[in-house]
């Protein structure tokens, strides 16, 4: 899960991820299939695999000096999903699924280059599971939950201490702990060998600063 150090602290301290409603205007892909089913559907996005996905650092790790990636081992993820599935009073459905990327063909991590019926792209059952092929680099695995009805824009999905204690943190190419809160936790996780660094050094990746692209800076360059 690519994010920032400040957001990681909230996840770590509150022992929960925030799941976003599928109809939210805050989601970066507004091209996804949406219908009535999406009203009560929430999800948290992850990327599969240990290899770094370079666009994700800059897409979700802003500012770049705080970019981190939260890794959850497979067995712990499965345990978390099972625990959520037992909460039948709260959730109607809980599942962890690969995202299928669709263009002229359908692509997924486990089922590559397969032709599927065209009408499937609008299937009610695939809401929340299909994105356009242009997003394939995310290699997304999505934790989907549905409620009897929509409550808030976001909901908490809690996890246990042992799942939190299994987190493996990777810091981004430009990460700088001096810009972050709670240095004590960072040092503690380092001692436990639970923090690793990107294989790319800061001078090997030229990610732009957030302020460098703001409208004020752009206007200034245009005037000059």
């Amino acid at each position: 899960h690519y994010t920032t150090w400040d957001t990681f602290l909230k996840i770590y301290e509150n022992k929960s991820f925030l799941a976003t409603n599928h109809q939210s205007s805050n989601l970066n892909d507004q091209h996804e299939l949406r219908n009535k089913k999406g009203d009560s559907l929430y999800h948290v996005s992850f990327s599969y695999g240990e290899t770094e996905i370079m666009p994700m650092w800059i897409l979700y790790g802003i500012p770049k000096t705080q970019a981190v990636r939260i890794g959850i081992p497979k067995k712990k993820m499965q345990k978390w999903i099972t625990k959520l599935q037992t909460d039948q009073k709260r959730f109607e459905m809980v599942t962890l699924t690969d995202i299928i990327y669709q263009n002229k063909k359908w692509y997924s991590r486990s089922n590559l280059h397969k032709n599927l019926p065209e009408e499937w792209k609008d299937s009610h059952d695939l809401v929340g599971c299909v994105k356009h092929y242009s997003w394939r680099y995310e290699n997304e695995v999505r934790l989907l939950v549905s409620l009897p009805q929509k409550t808030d824009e976001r909901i908490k999905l809690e996890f246990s201490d042992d799942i939190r204690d299994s987190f493996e943190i990777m810091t981004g190419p430009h990460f700088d702990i001096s810009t972050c809160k709670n240095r004590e936790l960072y040092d503690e996780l380092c001692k436990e060998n639970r923090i690793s660094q990107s294989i790319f050094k800061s001078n090997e990746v030229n990610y732009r600063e957030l302020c460098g692209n703001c409208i004020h800076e752009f206007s200034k360059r245009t005037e000059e």
Side-chain angles (χ1 to χ4, degrees), residues 29 72 75 94 106 123 133 135 164 172 178 184 201 203:
D29 181 13
I72 304 177
K75 289 184 178 179
V94 177
W106 297 64
S123 168
Y133 187 65
W135 294 93
R164 182 184 69 174
S178 67
E184 293 77 12
K201 297 180 173 60
N203 63 351

Side-chain angles (χ1 to χ4, degrees), residues 18-137:
L18 288 179
T20 304
N21 185 264
H22 187 66
Q23 308 283 38
S24 174
S25 60
N26 291 322
L27 294 176
N28 58 14
D29 181 13
Q30 294 295 310
H31 184 267
E32 275 196 61
L33 175 64
R34 285 168 166 76
N35 60 24
K36 189 65 177 176
K37 177 185 175 183
D39 288 346
S40 56
L41 192 66
Y42 292 79
H43 53 73
V44 182
S45 295
F46 299 88
S47 294
Y48 175 82
E50 296 183 5
T51 303
E52 296 175 56
I53 304 175
M54 299 309 289
M56 301 290 275
W57 286 126
I58 196 63
L59 189 61
Y60 298 106
I62 299 174
K64 64 184 181 181
T65 55
Q66 286 201 29
V68 298
R69 188 182 77 173
I70 305 171
I72 304 177
K74 179 180 178 181
K75 289 184 178 179
K76 295 298 182 180
M77 178 65 84
Q78 290 173 330
K79 179 179 180 180
W80 182 28
I81 301 303
T82 300
K83 181 67 171 69
L84 292 173
Q85 289 172 336
T86 61
D87 193 353
Q88 297 177 354
K89 292 183 179 180
R90 185 183 182 195
F91 303 117
E92 291 188 334
M93 180 272 294
V94 177
T95 188
L96 186 70
T97 179
D98 283 347
I99 290 297
I100 300 173
Y101 299 99
Q102 182 269 334
N103 195 357
K104 294 181 179 179
K105 293 184 178 181
W106 297 64
Y107 302 79
S108 75
R109 175 168 58 88
S110 58
N111 194 5
L112 298 177
H113 307 279
K114 184 174 181 180
N115 286 307
L116 295 176
E118 180 67 17
E119 62 269 20
W120 278 35
K121 71 177 183 179
D122 297 321
S123 168
H124 177 83
D125 293 331
L126 291 179
V127 173
C129 301
V130 180
K131 298 180 74 169
H132 191 272
Y133 187 65
S134 300
W135 294 93
R136 67 193 181 281
Y137 69 87

